[in-house]
Amino acid sequence: HGRDSCGVLTNGLPPPEPHHSMATHALYAWAKYRAQQKNIFTKIPKESGIAILGSVFIASLLIYEAREHGLKIICCLESNKKRQQHVLLGIPILPIEDIIFNKDIDHVILSSERDQDPYLKNHISSMNPKVRTTSWKELCCVETKRTYKTQTRAIRILKENAS
């Protein structure tokens, strides 16, 4: 049902324009993946323990997608103290500092909609350099087998995927 909805959402819908945010382009690409019955987590080994940085809208979508792919979701990591020590869709929300000592986390998925991924990656790496960090936006671009270095290049890649 959810995949059919994505097809309806993207069928005939033009891709976002270059001036739209990276998040808008990534959401469009994600919906196209779902419409094609693809999962954005396919490049992450199923035995990986993941943490999702954030606990709002995109984090919720990532939880459903990661579960569908069979990933072990350890927790959501959150800097907002008001959200910590709660549960999101059965996943505990823990302070971001837990990345320092939690040995079950192999991979952190950034759920931020803002274009601050390099900063967040550096922040996670400074706390635990052994953990791999990937943005949900990068996961949506995985089909190109390229990584983006600037927002402009990423937008171009997403437009290629959309056509």
Side-chain angles (χ1 to χ4, degrees):
H1 177 309
R3 292 177 186 216
D4 293 337
S5 300
C6 289
V8 170
L9 286 174
T10 59
N11 191 19
L13 182 69
E17 296 292 326
H19 66 274
H20 289 116
S21 72
M22 183 64 201
T24 300
H25 286 270
L27 281 169
Y28 182 85
W30 194 352
K32 293 289 263 187
Y33 267 94
R34 299 302 296 173
Q36 297 168 17
Q37 300 191 9
K38 295 180 183 178
N39 187 298
I40 64 170
F41 285 104
T42 55
K43 296 291 182 181
I44 297 178
K46 289 189 179 187
E47 63 275 4
S48 299
I50 68 164
I52 298 171
L53 181 62
S55 63
V56 194
F57 177 66
I58 297 296
S60 298
L61 297 175
L62 289 168
I63 289 169
Y64 282 114
E65 189 100 353
R67 281 180 176 156
E68 180 185 86
H69 185 59
L71 293 172
K72 181 179 179 187
I73 308 165
I74 308 300
C75 62
C76 288
L77 299 169
E78 180 61 66
S79 59
N80 184 329
K81 292 186 187 310
K82 292 181 181 180
R83 292 191 189 121
Q84 295 171 3
Q85 308 310 323
H86 293 279
V87 175
L88 176 65
L89 301 171
I91 306 298
I93 302 171
L94 305 175
I96 193 170
E97 294 77 20
D98 276 26
I99 192 68
I100 296 169
F101 59 85
N102 192 322
K103 304 292 185 216
D104 294 329
I105 300 172
D106 302 308
H107 207 124
V108 174
I109 308 300
L110 308 177
S111 73
S112 177
E113 294 174 41
R114 295 186 213 147
D115 294 327
Q116 59 184 358
D117 299 341
Y119 166 78
L120 294 171
K121 285 181 176 188
N122 286 336
H123 187 61
I124 295 294
S125 180
S126 72
M127 288 190 284
N128 187 337
K130 294 180 181 178
V131 171
R132 186 165 179 214
T133 306
T134 305
S135 167
W136 69 277
K137 296 172 214 131
E138 290 174 300
L139 293 174
C140 292
C141 297
V142 79
E143 191 172 351
T144 65
K145 297 184 180 165
R146 301 180 199 169
T147 57
Y148 61 86
K149 296 194 189 282
T150 65
Q151 184 174 355
T152 305
R153 182 169 177 225
I155 290 170
R156 189 187 76 216
I157 291 167
L158 285 170
K159 286 185 84 170
E160 290 172 5
N161 283 347
S163 51

